[in-house]
Amino acid sequence: GPAGGPNPPAANAAASKWVRLNVGGTYFVSTRQTLCREPKSFLCRLCCQDGPELGSDKDETGAYLIDRDPTYFGPILNYLRHGKLIINKELAEEGVLEEAEFYNIASLVRLVKERIRDNENRTSQGPVKHVYRVLQCQEEELTQMVSTMSDGWKFEQLISIGSSYNYGNEDQAEFLCVVSRELNNSTNGIVKEPSEKAKV
């Protein structure tokens, strides 16, 4: 089209559906429908109430100018497109969180925070601490004990300690059963005690 001057009506019809964004110098193209997925978001206000309220600047191509890091805009836009949080390995979750908060997308903020919390739990302050318990039991109790171990307890090791008593052929092997669980203080400050006390 001619530089400057009003757009011809045909372009306007197309423009009403497609929106160009210039995020920190990088162009993104999306639809109004996508950008308005989250009614309270900055992007929705930007292109659906194109009013004086935001006084949105446009560059010479007619794209909305947004002074933010384009690197982290991808996951934001994709989330609006399909509702999933997908972050490339080299991107820091904190960066995406920062943008989700800036664009005011509450559901995404929640998702990214969960993701960050999960990662912290996985790599929480150096090595994960474990609590170990040693339970003594007889051969026939083993399967029951392992099958009734409560949440979070993992079976680590079995040590045979020979038989403790010997009535003729009723030889009962005794075992020490080592179980462990992660000591995770970050589960919202609740350290859950095993619901069923392992029998000792």
Side-chain angles (χ1 to χ4, degrees):
N7 284 339
N12 272 343
S16 63
K17 178 170 190 276
W18 290 97
V19 179
R20 276 165 73 82
L21 302 167
N22 178 344
V23 182
T26 303
Y27 285 104
F28 292 88
V29 176
S30 184
T31 65
R32 258 171 228 281
Q33 188 191 356
T34 295
L35 295 171
C36 296
R37 264 300 129 70
E38 289 276 331
K40 291 200 178 65
S41 78
F42 169 87
L43 294 166
C44 181
R45 286 175 32 228
L46 182 70
C47 49
C48 302
Q49 311 165 10
D50 192 14
E53 175 202 0
L54 275 176
S56 41
D57 289 323
K58 294 185 178 180
D59 67 8
E60 62 283 357
T61 70
Y64 292 98
L65 281 163
I66 303 176
D67 181 21
R68 302 295 289 185
D69 186 341
T71 322
Y72 294 105
F73 188 64
I76 305 285
L77 191 51
N78 281 330
Y79 173 75
L80 290 173
R81 284 170 175 153
H82 51 52
K84 293 192 185 72
L85 172 59
I86 297 170
I87 302 177
N88 291 346
K89 299 252 183 310
E90 63 276 6
L91 284 190
E93 269 99 356
E94 283 77 9
V96 179
L97 177 61
E98 194 54 49
E99 298 310 287
E101 285 178 337
F102 170 80
Y103 293 111
N104 192 25
I105 303 171
S107 54
L108 181 56
V109 170
R110 232 184 357 263
L111 271 177
V112 184
K113 281 183 173 163
E114 272 168 29
R115 173 84 55 96
I116 291 173
R117 203 168 53 235
D118 289 351
N119 289 352
E120 278 170 358
N121 286 355
R122 234 172 279 140
T123 57
S124 55
Q125 308 84 44
V128 180
K129 296 191 190 67
H130 283 87
V131 192
Y132 288 90
R133 284 192 175 174
V134 178
L135 314 162
Q136 190 170 348
C137 62
Q138 289 164 357
E139 198 168 6
E140 67 206 18
E141 300 170 327
L142 267 177
T143 43
Q144 189 214 350
M145 202 192 66
V146 173
S147 65
T148 58
M149 270 191 335
S150 52
D151 290 349
W153 287 92
K154 281 209 298 293
F155 180 74
E156 289 284 339
Q157 201 183 354
L158 195 59
I159 304 158
S160 170
I161 51 174
S163 48
S164 55
Y165 49 86
N166 186 346
Y167 299 123
N169 51 7
E170 283 187 55
D171 206 15
Q172 275 280 8
E174 286 257 323
F175 291 95
L176 289 181
C177 180
V178 183
V179 297
S180 77
R181 73 190 289 261
E182 287 184 13
L183 185 59
N184 208 343
N185 302 327
S186 45
T187 40
N188 308 329
I190 306 161
V191 173
K192 289 199 282 291
E193 263 305 292
S195 43
E196 175 159 343
K197 292 276 180 286
K199 301 177 195 64
V200 176

